[in-house]
Amino acid sequence: MSNTEKNNPTVEEEEEDDEGEVFLGESDVIQEFDVDGEDLPEADDDDDNDDEEFDENDDSIHTFTGHKGELYAMACSPTDPTLVATGGGDDKAFLWKIGNGDWAAELLGHKDSVSSLAFSYDGQLLASGGLDGVVQIFDASSGILKCVLDGPGGGIEWVKWHPRGHIVLAGSEDCSMWMWNADKEAYLNMFSGHNQSVTCGDFTPDGKLICTGSDDASLIVWNPKTCESIHVVKGHPYHTEGLICLDINSNSSLVISGSKDGSVHIVNIVTGKVVSSLTSHTESVECVKFSPSSATIPLAATGGMDKKLVIWDLQHSTPRFICDHAEGVTCVAWLGTTKYLATGSADGTVSVWDSLLGNCVHTFHGHQDAVQGISVSANTEFIVSVSVDNTARVYETSEFLNKTA
């Protein structure tokens, strides 16, 4: 229909249109004052238009909807760029493939929320940790359960693999950390030293040591063979409240940690000394990541509930860029060895940033609630995010990576 026809309808059309408009328009004008804030925006705008808006604003190329509850955990395979694992509050985990909506393997067994997931270094095994205090090991190619590892008396906060072996590590709410040999289905060691939940931890990239952070505001550096604590970092000038996150740099010399108190500190793993205190955040720091080893300038990225991503110049211990978000920054991931990093936000968006320029190169929409975790595929072609909206979404990076390469 032309604009002229639209602006000058026939009498019949006008009557028909008027009838339709009278029903939803003029005769409802008086009623709008009664129901405008209640029914019309939700029943009218949302039901009729929101789906269209949502579809238009959904930048994902694949949406996984197998879960029936909020998603808390996810991992991308280090060897298969299409293989993804997700877990959440429905006590379930799934293996699924990007671009293959017909294939998904449900990972059964947990009796409480699946809180953490991790693929082994070679992509052969997948570990899932649950709030039921159990770690399960699955064959990553088939989703078949290989073994169940138990021992902790509290929920599992995180699971990590040794960088060169099938040794799995888990931190628990019961203040302990446990280590098993997944191939032999054997318990190896239990580490005791924290006074509260072990909220974060990992092997150093060289595999020689372990670093863990706790709600007791301490960081411990461990000898994995003897279970002895080499360094306990606590008190001034370290965090005053519990640790939420940590990351270890590529040469296993430094560990960066973020806390509920909004502080960020870097500790020398060899000496156990705080070598840098990065001050910028005003609320809890939810995520911390060192830049890739290939980075020309040593950087770190931190995100917090103060709606900020801070990219740090580690040579000077100063913010290089402060990148504002509409809501809190919940997670961060570097895109392989590139200069780009992605953030997930409480507003449901996933944004990609240029760490050398400090600008946002792309923002992906699709989630209808807070993003809980993000991961990048092995070939950096996909960013996968999980949300409390019960879905996982896949976003393609080629558009902006190619443009800005």
Side-chain angles (χ1 to χ4, degrees), residues 108-186:
L108 302 168
H110 284 293
K111 295 179 175 61
D112 206 337
S113 298
V114 177
S115 55
S116 50
L117 292 159
F119 284 95
S120 59
Y121 76 101
D122 55 8
Q124 293 181 5
L125 301 177
L126 174 73
S128 66
L131 295 184
D132 53 7
V134 169
V135 173
Q136 298 189 144
I137 307 297
F138 297 90
D139 179 276
S141 60
S142 65
I144 294 172
L145 178 66
K146 288 179 64 70
C147 60
V148 177
L149 308 172
D150 55 17
I156 303 299
E157 291 271 6
W158 51 269
V159 290
K160 298 285 185 177
W161 290 92
H162 191 277
R164 288 186 299 278
H166 288 172
I167 306 299
V168 66
L169 194 65
S172 171
E173 291 176 334
D174 71 357
C175 313
S176 68
M177 178 179 65
W178 293 66
M179 188 167 69
W180 302 268
N181 182 317
D183 288 332
K184 297 180 179 179
E185 304 179 21

Side-chain angles (χ1 to χ4, degrees), residues 99-321:
N100 187 350
D102 295 331
W103 186 86
E106 185 173 344
L107 309 178
L108 302 168
H110 284 293
K111 295 179 175 61
D112 206 337
S113 298
V114 177
S115 55
S116 50
L117 292 159
F119 284 95
S120 59
Y121 76 101
D122 55 8
Q124 293 181 5
L125 301 177
L126 174 73
S128 66
L131 295 184
D132 53 7
V134 169
V135 173
Q136 298 189 144
I137 307 297
F138 297 90
D139 179 276
S141 60
S142 65
I144 294 172
L145 178 66
K146 288 179 64 70
C147 60
V148 177
L149 308 172
D150 55 17
I156 303 299
E157 291 271 6
W158 51 269
V159 290
K160 298 285 185 177
W161 290 92
H162 191 277
R164 288 186 299 278
H166 288 172
I167 306 299
V168 66
L169 194 65
S172 171
E173 291 176 334
D174 71 357
C175 313
S176 68
M177 178 179 65
W178 293 66
M179 188 167 69
W180 302 268
N181 182 317
D183 288 332
K184 297 180 179 179
E185 304 179 21
Y187 156 81
L188 295 177
N189 281 321
M190 190 271 282
F191 301 77
S192 182
H194 288 295
N195 297 320
Q196 293 186 46
S197 179
V198 185
T199 53
C200 48
D202 204 351
F203 287 100
T204 53
D206 62 13
K208 295 179 180 178
L209 299 172
I210 295 168
C211 296
T212 59
S214 168
D215 249 341
D216 65 10
S218 74
L219 171 83
I220 298 182
V221 180
W222 306 88
N223 180 327
K225 294 181 179 178
T226 64
C227 297
E228 292 176 328
S229 57
I230 300 170
H231 300 296
V232 178
V233 185
K234 192 171 185 178
H236 185 77
Y238 202 51
H239 301 293
T240 58
E241 294 182 50
L243 277 70
I244 294 175
C245 48
L246 65 76
D247 189 41
I248 303 168
N249 69 345
S250 57
N251 67 5
S252 304
S253 62
L254 300 173
V255 56
I256 185 172
S257 55
S259 165
K260 293 177 180 178
D261 64 9
S263 66
V264 176
H265 296 287
I266 297 179
V267 172
N268 183 304
I269 293 174
V270 176
T271 65
K273 302 296 183 184
V274 176
V275 295
S276 187
S277 296
L278 308 179
T279 306
S280 180
H281 289 288
T282 56
E283 293 185 44
S284 65
V285 177
E286 300 292 312
C287 47
V288 294
K289 287 288 181 183
F290 283 110
S291 60
S293 56
S294 61
T296 53
I297 304 171
L299 302 173
T302 60
M305 294 313 292
D306 57 0
K307 308 178 184 179
K308 290 181 172 61
L309 162 73
V310 183
I311 300 171
W312 299 90
D313 176 345
L314 295 182
Q315 290 178 322
H316 302 94
S317 298
T318 56
R320 183 181 174 90
F321 302 108

